[in-house]
Amino acid sequence: PTKQVCNFAEKGRTKHEEKTMTDEKDYSLLRHNTFGIDAKCKRFIEYNTVEEAQQVAQMLTEADRPLLILGGGSNLLLTADYEGTVLHSGIRFLEQIDECHVRCGSGYVWDDVVAYCVANGLYGAENLSIIPGEVGASAVQNIGAYGVEVKDLIVSVEAVELETGRIRHFTNDEC
């Protein structure tokens, strides 16, 4: 089978441009929550590669705590500014690795994964369409609808351990 890569270009960027890590103080979370609340966080870091995620893990200090790992912000109601550091994944890719499996970055929009799978005959996730959020939260939230749960579709998860910066691999049973 032919290996397919689907990288939806973001506004103003082609799929070949590299985006560098964002690290900003007093950052507005307006674009990062579906309620559209203009709360701020003390520090906002968006990493775009696994290597950057490892760098973030190494550079965090006690002064950066508390930490909030934020996806699409659809399960988040901000009632005040966040007095800590918000981490957000900008790892956005989707690749079809064989006839029935895809691999996705944690910052990839979940509904775009479902749309890709349906368009390419990779059935099983179609009942999970129109569920907001990003891939990274899907395993933690165990998104589900109409008798289908993402836990039944995930084969494995790769993560960066925040305490050490090590890459960890989890099987479906370990999730």
Side-chain angles (χ1 to χ4, degrees):
T2 305
K3 185 176 180 180
Q4 298 179 19
V5 176
C6 180
N7 226 349
F8 292 91
E10 296 176 50
K11 285 185 180 177
R13 286 193 8 228
T14 67
K15 65 182 178 180
H16 301 291
E17 288 179 272
E18 291 293 320
K19 188 175 175 186
T20 58
M21 183 167 33
T22 300
D23 186 349
E24 294 187 29
K25 306 269 193 247
D26 195 34
Y27 183 86
S28 171
L29 296 170
L30 179 66
R31 296 182 317 109
H32 298 281
N33 71 92
T34 57
F35 284 103
I37 296 171
D38 193 15
K40 294 185 187 311
C41 61
K42 183 172 75 172
R43 185 178 185 191
F44 178 85
I45 302 173
E46 181 177 77
Y47 50 89
N48 299 292
T49 65
V50 172
E51 293 78 17
E52 285 182 354
Q54 291 177 295
Q55 289 173 13
V56 169
Q58 297 297 319
M59 72 184 195
L60 291 172
T61 67
E62 199 56 41
D64 293 310
R65 300 193 186 280
L67 300 175
L68 173 64
I69 300 172
L70 181 62
S74 58
N75 280 342
L76 178 69
L77 176 58
L78 298 164
T79 59
D81 288 348
Y82 185 70
E83 296 300 322
T85 300
V86 172
L87 304 177
H88 183 258
S89 174
I91 303 174
R92 295 181 185 98
F93 72 90
L94 185 153
E95 64 179 335
Q96 186 168 340
I97 55 177
D98 62 27
E99 303 86 23
C100 59
H101 295 95
V102 296
R103 183 172 182 258
C104 314
S106 54
Y108 204 80
V109 174
W110 172 255
D111 196 41
D112 291 345
V113 173
V114 175
Y116 176 88
C117 290
V118 170
N120 289 277
L122 303 171
Y123 299 107
E126 56 276 4
N127 286 2
L128 303 179
S129 183
I130 312 177
I131 294 177
E134 296 175 352
V135 170
S138 66
V140 176
Q141 296 291 333
N142 188 28
I143 57 176
Y146 306 107
V148 176
E149 293 180 316
V150 76
K151 72 173 179 64
D152 298 324
L153 304 173
I154 292 174
V155 174
S156 64
V157 172
E158 179 181 290
V160 172
E161 187 175 65
L162 282 177
E163 295 303 317
T164 65
R166 291 183 326 151
I167 295 174
R168 299 279 314 268
H169 296 273
F170 299 93
T171 66
N172 180 291
D173 289 340
E174 294 171 315
C175 286

